[in-house]
Amino acid sequence: MKPVFIAGPCVIESPELLDIVAEKIVETNRCLGTDIIFKASFDKANRTSLSSFRGPGIRRGLQMLADVKSRHGLRILTDIHESWQAEPAAEVCDILQIPAFLCRQTDLLVAAAKTGRTVNIKKAQFLSGTDMRYPLQKVTETFRELGISQECWLTERGNAFGYNNLVVDFRNIPDMLQYTPRVIMDCTHSVQRPGGADGKTGGDRRFVPQMALAAKAFGATGFFFEVHPDPDKGLSDAANMLRLDDLKPLVERLLA
């Protein structure tokens, strides 16, 4: 199975940032023959601190994502946090993503499935790979009831390991492959230190390539990277985002 690649900034910061990242993704696609999906969030509703930057909101954010799609011809993925967001997001986006903390929220999963879009469910930090068959069933059974022929993906992003730390049990990847052929490794969120940086989430981007390569060895069929031209200046997930210039070489390694 040809791997899926997803990349983009954690949160929509500006139209200029979206264009810079999209242009690099288009260039990478042209050079490597890939079809990297563009990802950005219109709202980060689960930030550690009330004062943290959340994004432009759904109306303006979706318009900015629609502009990226129109100008650059990229498929778009964004995450939704509430059921009512599914329908407007699906008007713009090709894939709707369910955040890890919300992966058991039945109404959210069903609303996403009812749009007929591909749904990507991120595995919660407190669940095992085999536990994810139940969120998957909520989506696939909704598809089936409505006569929708569509895919539902699962994404590994690490498990809570004590406080302010994550660890990845790569056995979760083959476990989830029992239920769906598309299992994605979130290579940047998995190096987070949740809430471990004085009111914000820390992390260590040095380990992103190793996360990706290890996931490939365990059979992952997709790879997710949050990227930024200057990650340390990013307004969300700065510590664990991959440098934009490092995306193409890493994708090349994963395709080798």
Side-chain angles (χ1 to χ4, degrees), residues 51-169:
S51 62
S52 296
F53 179 77
R54 287 183 54 168
I58 187 167
R59 184 184 64 81
R60 185 160 171 258
L62 287 177
Q63 182 58 59
M64 293 162 77
L65 291 174
D67 291 343
V68 168
K69 189 172 191 176
S70 174
R71 281 198 296 270
H72 302 284
L74 295 168
R75 290 192 290 162
I76 305 291
L77 176 150
T78 200
D79 32 24
I80 58 173
H81 293 83
E82 299 181 59
S83 301
W84 67 267
Q85 296 174 341
E87 189 172 342
E91 292 178 5
V92 173
C93 302
D94 303 275
I95 300 100
L96 299 182
Q97 182 167 276
I98 307 300
F101 285 130
L102 301 177
C103 75
R104 294 186 4 163
Q105 296 297 106
T106 301
D107 290 347
L108 183 62
L109 292 162
V110 170
K114 283 182 175 178
T115 68
R117 294 299 193 184
T118 298
V119 178
N120 181 36
I121 312 173
K122 299 185 80 172
K123 183 182 73 61
Q125 298 90 330
F126 49 84
L127 294 179
S128 70
T130 54
D131 290 330
M132 290 302 293
R133 65 187 184 273
Y134 302 111
L136 179 75
Q137 284 172 358
K138 294 176 183 180
V139 172
T140 56
E141 288 180 12
T142 302
F143 284 158
R144 188 158 46 249
E145 288 171 6
L146 297 176
I148 295 170
S149 178
Q150 190 54 276
E151 296 180 343
C152 183
W153 305 345
L154 297 177
T155 293
E156 168 62 35
R157 51 99 70 243
N159 282 80
F161 186 64
Y163 299 115
N164 307 126
N165 204 3
L166 296 174
V167 66
V168 177
D169 181 352

Side-chain angles (χ1 to χ4, degrees), residues 216-255:
K216 179 182 177 181
F218 276 84
T221 54
F223 303 89
F224 178 111
F225 304 101
E226 286 189 336
V227 296
H228 195 286
D230 190 354
D232 289 331
K233 293 182 180 177
L235 299 181
S236 178
D237 276 350
N240 50 271
M241 279 195 288
L242 187 70
R243 295 185 188 281
L244 183 57
D245 286 343
D246 293 333
L247 175 64
K248 180 172 174 280
L250 182 51
V251 171
E252 280 188 290
R253 291 178 70 185
L254 291 166
L255 290 172

